[in-house]
Amino acid sequence: MIRISSAGAGALLLDAARGAFNDSVQERIWAVARRMAALPEILQAVPGVNNLLIVFDTIQYDPAILEHSLRAVWEDTLVDASPAREIVLPVTYGGTFGEDIPVVARFAGLTEEEVIAAHVSGEYRVAAIGAMPGFAYLTGLDPRLAIPRRASPRVSVEQGAVSIGGGQAGVMPCTSPTGWHILGKTEEILFDAQRVEPCLFRLGDRVKFRRVG
């Protein structure tokens, strides 16, 4: 059962979460987002993690009618089983590049090498892109590494920082504040406005981390 609520005057939020993250629900979110984005009354369709934000023109369209349309599209949408790309990111772990590995190790009851091995062995998927240009929320993190985000965020974390927060993994596309825990660094450029496709990741991509250095 989905829940749809207002998100300000000009947006609807579809929440399809059923407790723990669900891959099949997320694939349906992506498919619904594509269909809704093709409608003339929709300004944006923004997938989140098991949710979907629909932004529309409040001057021309009635939110009650759009809510009915959104429910109908959800019920009528089949998951697209198209193959996903695989992206491999080389990562230097630990030391000055991964200062939170000792913290994560203590939290998880693992050695620092076991933390790195658990992160590398993950099978990750791009569930959503947001927060900042090119930032991908990656599902598939080993549950042992699901450490709560820092109580006090760092004011500046470098581009390329490989991080974890809650049950998700991520990589910083630019230098920015974050409360996620830093495990390592990659030299891959995740976002470049001059590229034909500025964002390295697409929704549904499969991501693996490869240890280097």
Side-chain angles (χ1 to χ4, degrees):
M1 178 69 70
I2 61 169
R3 298 168 296 282
I4 298 177
S5 58
S6 296
L12 295 174
L13 180 66
L14 182 154
D15 184 359
R18 304 169 184 169
F21 175 81
N22 186 297
D23 282 306
S24 62
V25 168
Q26 192 64 29
E27 290 174 352
R28 196 170 180 181
I29 289 283
W30 300 331
V32 170
R34 288 191 293 271
R35 289 186 61 183
M36 293 299 294
L39 300 178
E41 60 266 37
I42 302 304
L43 302 178
Q44 281 186 299
V46 185
V49 178
N50 279 184
N51 61 62
L52 174 63
L53 181 69
I54 300 295
V55 183
F56 59 93
D57 185 343
T58 56
I59 303 299
Q60 299 188 56
Y61 300 101
D62 183 342
I65 294 175
L66 281 181
E67 178 178 343
H68 177 78
S69 298
L70 180 55
R71 288 187 183 277
V73 169
W74 176 266
E75 294 299 330
D76 186 51
T77 296
L78 299 176
V79 172
D80 183 359
S82 58
R85 303 185 306 169
E86 181 173 283
I87 295 176
V88 180
L89 298 180
V91 179
T92 302
Y93 286 93
T96 57
F97 296 130
E99 57 190 291
D100 289 329
I101 286 181
V103 176
V104 176
R106 288 194 297 272
F107 168 83
L110 302 172
T111 67
E112 294 183 20
E113 282 298 318
E114 287 171 334
V115 168
I116 295 170
H119 188 263
V120 169
S121 66
E123 298 283 345
Y124 300 95
R125 197 94 187 266
V126 177
I129 298 173
M132 62 193 80
F135 183 83
Y137 291 87
L138 303 177
T139 59
L141 181 69
D142 187 313
R144 295 175 297 172
L145 305 185
I147 182 172
R149 299 180 189 183
R150 290 168 53 92
S152 178
R154 292 185 173 93
V155 297
S156 181
V157 173
E158 289 188 1
Q159 173 181 313
V162 175
S163 58
I164 58 174
Q168 298 168 343
V171 183
M172 296 294 287
C174 60
T175 299
S176 174
T178 184
W180 292 37
H181 296 270
I182 311 305
L183 304 185
K185 183 176 182 179
T186 182
E187 297 299 328
E188 290 288 335
I189 304 299
L190 273 63
F191 184 84
D192 181 351
Q194 303 305 314
R195 291 193 301 221
V196 174
E197 191 169 352
C199 184
L200 175 65
F201 294 126
R202 298 175 190 164
L203 293 175
D205 282 349
R206 299 188 183 277
V207 179
K208 291 188 69 66
F209 295 103
R210 176 171 57 87
R211 187 177 187 178
V212 297

